[in-house]
Amino acid sequence: MNELNQTDHKPLSVGDWIVTLIITAIPLVGFVMLFVWAFGSNTNPNKANWAKAALVLFAIGIVLSILFSIIFGVGIMSFLNSQENMTY
């Protein structure tokens, strides 16, 4: 049964992918649409898997950004603290 559902969906055309990428480029709307495509029941399985992968990469990017910001912030604070303790 699951195999029949997957064969009912036609591959997405180049035009479909272009529209998809343009929509995802719109701030906030694109993010919401990723959730709609990833977890919607009427979405082409290829687009649903792509949207899930995009959400995973987005989450990884946020985590790495926070991590690097903390590391950079600690480095700056350490540098500033060392400059205060120096006597000329």
Side-chain angles (χ1 to χ4, degrees):
M1 183 75 171
N2 192 16
E3 193 173 310
L4 289 175
N5 288 340
Q6 290 180 353
T7 58
D8 289 344
H9 295 285
K10 295 181 181 181
L12 295 170
S13 68
V14 173
D16 291 336
W17 280 116
I18 289 172
V19 170
T20 300
L21 293 174
I22 289 171
I23 290 172
T24 54
I26 302 170
L28 192 62
V29 172
F31 186 69
V32 171
M33 287 307 296
L34 283 176
F35 280 100
V36 170
W37 292 326
F39 304 111
S41 59
N42 294 332
T43 305
N44 184 304
N46 295 318
K47 187 185 280 189
N49 286 335
W50 172 80
K52 289 173 188 172
L55 287 170
V56 167
L57 288 175
F58 187 74
I60 290 170
I62 288 175
V63 169
L64 287 176
S65 296
I66 291 171
L67 186 76
F68 287 136
S69 296
I70 290 171
I71 291 170
F72 185 72
V74 167
I76 292 290
M77 293 303 290
S78 175
F79 175 75
L80 292 175
N81 192 21
S82 69
Q83 292 297 317
E84 284 179 6
N85 293 334
M86 293 183 103
T87 56
Y88 295 101

